[in-house]
Amino acid sequence: MCGIVGAAARRDIVPVLIEGLRRLEYRGYDSCGVATLGEGGLARVRSVERVAALGARVAKQKLAAETGIAHTRWATHGAPVTNNAHPIFSKGEIALVHNGIIENHEDLRAELKAKGYAFETQTDTEVIAHLVHSLYKGSLFDAVGRAVKRLAGAYAIAVVARREPHRVVGARAGSPLVVGVGKGEMFLASDALALAGTTDRIAFLEEGDVAEIALEEFRVRDGAGRDAKRPVKTVKVAEAAADLGPYRHFMQKEIFEQPRAVADTLQGVVGIAPSLFNDPKGAVLRKVDSVLILACGTSYYSGLTAKGWFESIARLPTQVEIASEYRYRDSIPNPNALVVVVSQSGETADTLAALRHARSLGQKRTLAICNVASSAMMRETKLRFLTHAGVEIGVASTKAFTTQLVALFLLSLTLAKLRRRLPAKEERLQLRLLRHLPKAIAAALALEPQIISWSARFAKREHALFLGRGLHYPIALEGALKLKEISYIHAEAYPAGELKHGPLALVTAEMPVVTVAPNDALLEKLKSNMQEVRARGGELYVLADAGTKIGAEEGVNVIRLPEHYGALSPILHVVPLQLLAYHTALARGTDVDKPRNLAKSVTVE
């Protein structure tokens, strides 16, 4: 959500800024802009089109400078129009870009208006720009340090001042920001990926930090105003991740990368042990008596799936909470619970806040499952597991979801083993199934031609219903989410047994009903639910395992997965649902990788 790039160098940094924005497009945005500081002072170009269009306008205006900041904006305060796009100026002296939300912007706006500041936008960001200007006495570093102490909410900012060339000041609280270290040049960015190909030497700013970059060095003050050192690490970000290769969209590419992503996540797993989760002797995991999973969106659905594993395999009571709700309700903390936070980016604001809330309640046994090793979530938990999905660019998460499921399944086996509920024979069987999983996913991907034939019919509909039972109800939820995210078809998911308690009223011949039908203990119950749909004239689209004896007939369309995969079956069944959403969106002509109103990394509450 939103993206920041800033630079101070002895060369024209405009191409670096534009390329950085291009690499951050995956986060989602509805406007973009760049501001430079040169001999003529501050200059700015903004657009409500894509970064490519911004780059063309910048080239046409021959914008060039050695200091600058750039931004992609996902609108919160103020419509996505050019006037609200960042960078935001104050008095022609200060230029600022901002990710996040300032909660006390109305009070600050009133105060600044009383001082004579005129507001030209509807954004909360303009408040920060004017506040910095009002405090500026010749040192931008000091002015920003004083300004952020007045801010309530979440922010990552980058600021330049007309009178201080070759300097950019940044600050962060609740939103990520990194420093990139080059040779005689320095950079700021909200994501190391923005700097791929420019520098791989990265310093990660911590909560409350204010940083100043110059040509040869950077300096940092922490939230208490003390000088601080932030180590510079070499971070390898695959540049190829931002290339489509033979695929039409990043979502398609990432769906087909799942066999490799799962194999990479399982690399080095030779046995089930707490060391997989950075707990070599099991000192933390051995003592837990329950599990609390905190997550949002797709990651929440991975947690719902894992609840079944934790309770059936490890025999541990498990709660799964939507992170944005958990921190605002009265809950009963259990100091012996394992608090598991799940996130692709590790910077999801609601999940980070929920983690901190859980810790404040005395729940100290924490574990992060995340796809970004350097993220705040991985730094703030006692235990961690890094999924190796690789960079995920498409807004609709695919390979991150399947690798999260693999990690959570490994955790359920580990907890079971520590509780002496995983016999050696069963451990060997599950490890064998896990090693075969990439090939099984590849077989599910081979169903694509049949999925395409379904998608042509789905593209003509405006509503869809998804059904599942047991472990596969969360997979139905994920299938519905994918369809609505990128095709804009209204889709809902229900446990199939709930049909008769309300949703059946919606079923008509115009409402496709997708049913996830594995060959498990609930199959016969599910078949009865399917008959309820057929009796009301509904058309079924069934993802069935071999041996289910569900045959295609009028009103019943069947795609058969090659094999039943036991407890790991949800990982296989989600793959055709991802393909269905992708090809339906393709048929409807939507922007698959950048669906309207959505962002990849949700760093605001």
Side-chain angles (χ1 to χ4, degrees):
M1 180 175 288
C2 301
I4 288 173
V5 191
R10 292 189 178 92
R11 58 173 170 139
D12 178 18
I13 47 77
V14 172
V16 175
L17 298 178
I18 295 297
E19 176 61 16
L21 292 188
R22 187 186 71 79
R23 292 181 180 279
L24 293 177
E25 283 190 288
Y26 76 96
R27 285 171 163 251
Y29 67 102
D30 42 45
S31 64
C32 50
V34 59
T36 58
L37 175 58
E39 292 182 2
L42 292 171
R44 174 176 61 179
V45 178
R46 298 180 290 177
S47 174
V48 291
E49 299 178 90
R50 292 301 182 193
V51 170
L54 175 70
R57 290 186 58 192
V58 164
K60 186 176 181 180
Q61 295 186 27
K62 297 181 180 180
L63 195 67
E66 296 179 348
T67 309
I69 53 177
H71 190 260
T72 52
R73 176 179 185 250
W74 187 80
T76 54
H77 297 71
V81 296
T82 303
N83 192 55
N84 288 330
H86 300 197
I88 301 293
F89 281 9
S90 178
K91 306 281 190 180
E93 295 284 331
I94 299 292
L96 180 144
V97 294
H98 164 227
N99 294 350
I101 291 177
I102 304 304
E103 295 173 356
N104 61 336
H105 70 97
E106 291 179 344
D107 290 342
L108 290 171
R109 184 185 298 264
E111 176 185 320
L112 289 161
K113 280 184 175 180
K115 291 181 178 180
Y117 284 91
F119 283 78
E120 299 175 354
T121 78
Q122 289 77 51
T123 67
D124 54 340
T125 301
E126 191 174 5
V127 164
I128 315 175
H130 291 326
L131 182 61
V132 169
H133 181 271
S134 72
L135 297 169
Y136 184 65
K137 307 297 181 187
S139 169
L140 184 62
F141 190 44
D142 290 342
V144 171
R146 292 202 302 274
V148 295
K149 293 184 182 304
R150 302 285 314 279
L151 304 180
Y155 58 83
I157 60 174
V159 197
V160 293
R162 185 180 62 81
R163 286 182 273 170
E164 297 188 52
H166 296 122
R167 293 187 186 279
V168 184
V169 176
R172 65 148 299 193
S175 289
L177 196 65
V178 304
V179 174
V181 178
K183 293 181 179 179
E185 55 189 20
M186 295 282 170
F187 308 91
L188 283 173
S190 49
D191 189 322
L193 179 63
L195 304 177
T198 300
T199 182
D200 60 3
R201 300 183 64 220
I202 303 295
F204 294 90
L205 298 181
E206 296 184 7
E207 192 78 356
D209 280 356
V210 178
E212 178 187 69
I213 64 169
L215 294 174
E216 302 290 345
E217 62 183 0
F218 72 94
R219 57 174 172 156
V220 178
R221 287 181 188 155
D222 64 19
R226 300 177 296 239
D227 291 340
K229 298 291 185 183
R230 299 295 176 239
V232 178
K233 302 177 181 179
T234 299
V235 176
K236 297 295 183 184
V237 179
E239 292 185 63
D243 295 324
L244 277 171
Y247 299 99
R248 294 183 64 179
H249 298 92
F250 284 109
M251 183 178 179
Q252 183 189 28
K253 176 176 183 269
E254 288 154 11
I255 289 171
F256 278 86
E257 285 176 341
Q258 287 176 112
R260 179 205 54 77
V262 167
D264 288 351
T265 298
L266 290 168
Q267 190 174 19
V269 178
V270 295
I272 301 302
S275 56
L276 293 173
F277 300 90
N278 200 43
D279 187 19
K281 297 181 180 179
V284 176
L285 294 179
R286 201 180 299 276
K287 296 176 182 177
V288 304
D289 63 9
S290 61
V291 178
L292 170 63
I293 301 174
L294 304 172
C296 301
T298 285
S299 297
Y300 172 70
Y301 297 150
S302 72
L304 284 179
T305 306
K307 174 182 169 70
W309 293 331
F310 289 134
E311 296 193 338
S312 65
I313 297 173
R315 306 299 295 166
L316 281 170
T318 301
Q319 287 179 269
V320 188
E321 297 263 7
I322 295 172
S324 58
E325 290 293 316
Y326 169 73
R327 61 187 289 219
Y328 293 116
R329 70 174 188 82
D330 290 332
S331 58
I332 302 173
N334 175 7
N336 296 319
L338 177 65
V339 179
V340 181
V341 286
V342 188
S343 167
Q344 190 283 134
S345 68
E347 302 288 352
T348 308
D350 286 320
T351 309
L352 276 170
L355 167 65
R356 292 162 185 161
H357 177 65
R359 285 206 315 259
S360 74
L361 296 176
Q363 299 177 112
K364 306 298 185 184
R365 294 169 182 167
T366 57
L367 185 155
I369 291 174
C370 180
N371 191 38
V372 181
S374 56
S375 65
M377 213 166 284
M378 295 287 267
R379 296 196 302 270
E380 292 188 25
T381 51
K382 192 175 289 289
L383 307 182
R384 61 201 63 87
F385 185 98
L386 178 66
T387 58
H388 290 277
V391 176
E392 191 177 63
I393 303 253
V395 166
S397 183
T398 52
K399 61 180 180 174
F401 179 69
T402 46
T403 53
Q404 286 170 0
L405 289 175
V406 168
L408 288 162
F409 189 73
L410 286 170
L411 181 59
S412 71
L413 295 179
T414 301
L415 291 168
K417 187 172 181 179
L418 289 172
R419 293 166 64 80
R420 299 184 179 179
R421 294 184 178 275
L422 186 70
K425 183 178 179 181
E426 180 67 15
E427 179 181 349
R428 289 193 297 272
L429 170 63
Q430 296 301 340
L431 284 170
R432 189 164 64 249
L433 288 171
L434 282 165
R435 292 189 188 105
H436 180 65
L437 191 56
K439 289 185 178 178
I441 294 172
L445 288 167
L447 300 170
E448 185 178 31
Q450 299 173 63
I451 295 290
I452 291 172
S453 70
W454 281 13
S455 68
R457 284 176 272 174
F458 270 74
K460 300 173 184 175
R461 306 300 186 198
E462 293 301 326
H463 307 277
L465 195 61
F466 287 68
L467 303 177
R469 297 199 74 143
L471 283 173
H472 295 79
Y473 165 51
I475 299 306
L477 284 165
E478 174 63 9
L481 176 63
K482 286 290 156 286
L483 189 68
K484 73 180 82 171
E485 276 183 309
I486 61 169
S487 75
Y488 314 146
I489 293 172
H490 171 242
E492 299 294 339
Y494 286 89
E498 284 293 293
L499 263 179
K500 63 182 74 68
H501 297 290
L504 203 56
L506 297 172
V507 172
T508 69
E510 298 300 309
M511 170 81 82
V513 179
V514 181
T515 308
V516 184
N519 192 8
D520 62 13
L522 290 169
L523 178 62
E524 294 307 316
K525 298 286 186 185
L526 183 64
K527 287 180 178 178
S528 297
N529 302 138
M530 291 164 57
Q531 288 303 317
E532 293 168 357
V533 172
R534 288 298 301 130
R536 275 76 180 178
E539 183 154 5
L540 287 162
Y541 293 81
V542 186
L543 295 169
D545 285 344
T548 55
K549 297 181 181 178
I550 299 173
E553 57 182 272
E554 185 179 354
V556 181
N557 308 277
V558 180
I559 292 178
R560 210 169 298 283
L561 273 72
E563 55 188 315
H564 177 57
Y565 224 65
L568 288 165
S569 171
I571 298 176
L572 296 189
H573 274 274
V574 79
V575 172
L577 294 177
Q578 295 169 345
L579 288 169
L580 177 62
Y582 171 73
H583 285 289
T584 301
L586 205 62
R588 287 169 70 95
T590 64
D591 192 342
V592 172
D593 286 332
K594 304 180 189 74
R596 67 189 183 202
N597 304 333
L598 299 180
K600 179 65 178 174
S601 181
V602 184
T603 56
V604 298
E605 187 177 348

